Amino acid sequence: MALYLGLDSSTQSLTALLIEVDVVERGSSQSSPPPAVVFEHSISFDTDLPHYGTRNGTLPSEDPSVAVSPPLMWAEALDRMFAVMVSSGLNVAELAAISGSAQQHGSVYLSASAAGVLAGLAPSEPLVTQLRAVPMGDDDMPGVDDMPGDDVTPGGDDPPGDEDRPADEARPAESLLSRAVSPIWMDSSTSEECREITAALGGADRLAQLTGSRAFERFTGPQIRKFYKQDPRGWAATHRVHMVSSFMASLLAGAHAPLDPGDASGMNLMDLRSRDWSPEALDATAPDLAAKLPAIVPSSSIVGELAPYWQQRFGLPAARVVAWSGDNPCSLVGTGLIREGQIAVSLGTSDTLFGLMREPRVDRTGTGHVFGAPTGDYMGLTCFLNGGLARQRIRDEHGLDWDGFSEALRATPTGNDGGLMFPWFEPEITPDVRTPGVRRVDLDAGDATRNVRAVVEAQMMALANHSRWMGVDIDVIHATGGAAVNTDILQVMADVFDAEVRRFEVSNSACLGAALRAYHADATADGRELPWEEVVGGIAEPVPGSAIVPRRANVEIYGRLRRRYAKLEHLAIDKRT
Ligand code: XUL
């Protein structure tokens, strides 16, 4: 038996999931038992580590466009997680490999002393105490003697002499960090830097073709540029910029870890085709950036072994540390999407569609993203803001509950007799609609049942139309998220996409994906060829018997309606922007 650990460092929590695999049986026959989940645990940053003062995982900020988190909180959570895991009674001596998933786009800024601190971690002291300690003779931390004490949150008071720096950019007390805080994916404060990078790269389309996405405020390149512009001294003191993923892997390996293409593609800095840094994009972002970034390695790379700190403090073996990736690439594996043609649609507060792509095709409309996939392929991802939010607004406006919502859907004909809606209750990401407002065509706003059908049909047609850029012939959809329990909504999805829809119950899909990636990388490192079908088989699979098949007559109706919807959407956007 072998244990594989997947960790997920997300915005609000750190989750761990261990799978047990009968590697001998698994290597010899296809009928061997699939991997089984034997441990799952979550640590909430706000409630379990309240001394960092986060709300929903981020530090309070007066500027609503700023979203930063304390990176030492993530490190402390890791330490706590191992303590919980080893006291669970599992035979941790069987731990063979560890990988991880992390919120994408977040960045961690480390000083020149970080490599020494990481390599010299003593098992007798908690991790975070050592990361925070100031070694003697450290001269790359100005005013270090005046630093706030351990009991001050990183986002707290400015140290003396740093009056001009924004509060959330206070020079850190920690020798390891050259910046106390990490900007994360919820930050939208870099519009100016997005414009500058876009101009330097010759326009949004060119940047998207090169890196997989046009410039987005939350992407790491614009965030790095903002830091370099606002705090040149802090930038000069930065020796290594890690993503959350490679920072966490570095803590486990006790050395600077490389980055995988899945997470590196969320930076506006990686050349999508070469899977290496784009010198042009680096030049457009900040000086000396090439020297400060980790190397990019394939996702299945072993980046080291568990550092002596973890082995000795927790009685763990020298398990392999596998490159971490972003949460979306990990979710691709965790939802069993390992061939082109399978996609996932997550129906949550917002709706997200993602799937594997063999080729790096890029969205010319600039709303979709292309990331590296853990399989060595690519993945496309498109996010629709007015998802569950819009369904709920319609439900509430007409005084319905979810059963009533379903009844309304069943009571109305496919195509809604021509009644259409553009449900932009909030500014929409896909398509890009900055000024919100719901638009209706041949539809009375007071007609409850037809508005229910209109919102669902609109969302499914938008999902289908705005995923065409992926160039994927979709045959199977794994539907996840709260609204995936509603089979009436899933029937519309099947009919609009002309694809079979299967319900997928995800809990911790990113974390499961990370554990499965550890399993795959471990086998590969041993020279065993382990097909991805075998990795996900029996564990990352849809609910048995949940398949909903498209109905021919409805597919034909939606084929025509989708074209009409696309045309009217253009007109509606013109009126909104
Ligand atoms: C993807 C994105 C989010 C974060 C969430 O572009 O910003 O999905 O990865 O953790």
Side-chain angles (χ1 to χ4, degrees), residues 64-364:
S65 70
V66 168
V68 295
S69 297
L72 293 189
M73 175 179 77
W74 301 327
E76 188 169 342
L78 195 59
D79 219 12
R80 288 218 188 169
M81 186 58 88
F82 275 86
V84 175
M85 196 180 80
V86 296
S87 63
S88 69
L90 284 162
N91 182 11
V92 289
E94 291 181 333
L95 184 64
I98 306 173
S99 189
S101 148
Q103 55 170 312
Q104 291 196 250
H105 317 300
S107 43
V108 185
Y109 298 75
L110 300 187
S111 71
S113 48
V117 175
L118 289 170
L121 292 170
S124 52
E125 287 284 315
L127 177 65
V128 83
T129 312
Q130 301 182 65
L131 300 186
R132 210 175 256 154
V134 182
M136 298 294 285
D138 185 343
D139 59 5
D140 74 359
M141 301 299 293
V144 94
D145 291 336
D146 298 317
M147 293 298 165
D150 282 359
D151 53 341
V152 177
T153 61
D157 300 335
D158 272 318
D162 279 349
E163 289 82 6
D164 297 340
R165 191 170 291 124
D168 64 15
E169 298 296 339
R171 180 75 74 225
E174 302 81 6
S175 69
L176 181 94
L177 302 172
S178 56
R179 184 180 184 182
V181 295
S182 290
I184 67 151
W185 66 279
M186 294 164 84
D187 189 286
S188 59
S189 64
T190 63
S191 299
E192 187 179 296
E193 289 74 20
C194 284
R195 278 194 294 277
E196 290 163 353
I197 293 170
T198 306
L201 267 296
D205 190 41
R206 174 123 204 289
L207 180 60
Q209 291 297 333
L210 182 68
T211 68
S213 302
R214 67 169 169 82
F216 283 88
E217 279 77 359
R218 68 187 191 284
F219 274 46
T220 324
Q223 292 290 343
I224 290 173
R225 183 166 177 78
K226 180 183 158 195
F227 179 54
Y228 142 71
K229 280 167 54 186
Q230 287 198 341
D231 187 0
R233 278 202 303 159
W235 179 244
T238 301
H239 181 75
R240 181 63 42 92
V241 183
H242 275 296
M243 301 292 277
V244 181
S245 62
S246 56
F247 172 63
M248 298 299 275
S250 302
L251 295 176
L252 291 175
H256 283 303
L259 198 53
D260 95 311
D263 214 20
S265 46
M267 300 174 83
N268 283 137
L269 294 175
M270 189 189 86
D271 180 329
L272 205 55
R273 282 149 195 95
S274 69
R275 291 166 185 259
D276 202 350
W277 300 119
S278 155
E280 246 189 305
L282 265 47
D283 283 350
T285 301
D288 307 322
L289 184 49
K292 298 181 198 255
L293 290 171
I296 303 174
V297 298
S299 301
S300 288
S301 305
I302 310 295
V303 301
E305 68 178 31
L306 204 51
Y309 172 84
W310 305 99
Q311 292 188 39
Q312 290 164 25
R313 189 171 173 83
F314 298 107
L316 292 167
R320 286 169 166 156
V321 179
V322 176
W324 282 43
S325 188
D327 49 5
N328 292 299
C330 287
S331 284
L332 193 75
V333 173
T335 47
L337 303 177
I338 41 112
R339 70 163 174 84
E340 194 171 270
Q342 300 171 312
I343 63 159
V345 173
S346 162
L347 301 172
T349 309
S350 55
D351 293 342
T352 306
L353 178 150
F354 60 91
L356 186 136
M357 295 155 66
R358 292 263 172 249
E359 299 297 325
R361 286 175 291 262
V362 167
D363 180 12
R364 293 209 98 94

Side-chain angles (χ1 to χ4, degrees), residues 414-462:
T414 299
N416 214 15
D417 292 326
L420 287 179
M421 180 191 291
F422 298 94
W424 301 322
F425 288 93
E426 299 291 335
E428 180 52 67
I429 300 170
T430 309
D432 185 5
V433 179
R434 308 278 160 104
T435 315
V438 177
R439 301 242 320 134
R440 292 177 174 82
V441 179
D442 298 331
L443 181 66
D444 179 347
D447 187 337
T449 53
R450 290 183 75 225
N451 273 271
V452 167
R453 177 159 281 278
V455 73
V456 173
E457 290 188 337
Q459 291 177 326
M460 296 308 143
M461 288 193 284

